[in-house]
Amino acid sequence: MTVPVRYVCPRCGAVATLDRAARLADKCVTPDPLDGWTYAAAHDDFEDADGVEVVCGAAETDGEGCGRLYYLSFVKYESGRELDPARPLDPADAPNFRFRP
């Protein structure tokens, strides 16, 4: 069973509607892809992908858009546990190798 789901471009606010399987759980919508996630184009079958690559302003977008890519990521599991994407290290937490004053 598919359901129409609406998503907002994180850059310009244009709304896109995708028909997708009701069983898929959304994780997030981001301007950049998540590390370790695989994405399919919105016009392809994305049932087996980890997410969808949406072109803002393409056919699935209601009205005009900015023309840039953004990414819808689905919840992803490994061995029954939800995976979180790798996040870059916060500069405040990064090791400091400056030993001289």
Side-chain angles (χ1 to χ4, degrees):
M1 176 168 127
T2 62
V3 294
V5 182
R6 296 168 61 92
Y7 301 97
V8 176
C9 174
R11 292 188 175 95
C12 73
V15 177
T17 303
L18 297 177
D19 288 327
R20 63 167 183 77
R23 66 171 178 73
L24 295 172
D26 296 343
K27 183 163 191 71
C28 59
V29 175
T30 57
D32 299 305
L34 300 180
D35 287 341
W37 264 243
T38 58
Y39 295 90
H43 53 76
D44 289 340
D45 178 22
F46 50 82
E47 289 270 334
D48 294 325
D50 299 327
V52 181
E53 182 179 77
V54 180
V55 177
C56 186
E60 59 275 349
T61 303
D62 302 339
E64 293 187 25
C66 63
R68 297 179 67 192
L69 289 175
Y70 65 94
Y71 301 86
L72 160 63
S73 301
F74 301 125
V75 174
K76 185 172 161 179
Y77 294 94
E78 184 175 285
S79 300
R81 293 188 150 182
E82 183 178 338
L83 295 178
D84 282 325
R87 293 192 171 98
L89 186 62
D90 185 320
D93 296 329
N96 181 346
F97 295 105
R98 290 177 279 159
F99 299 112
R100 296 184 184 176

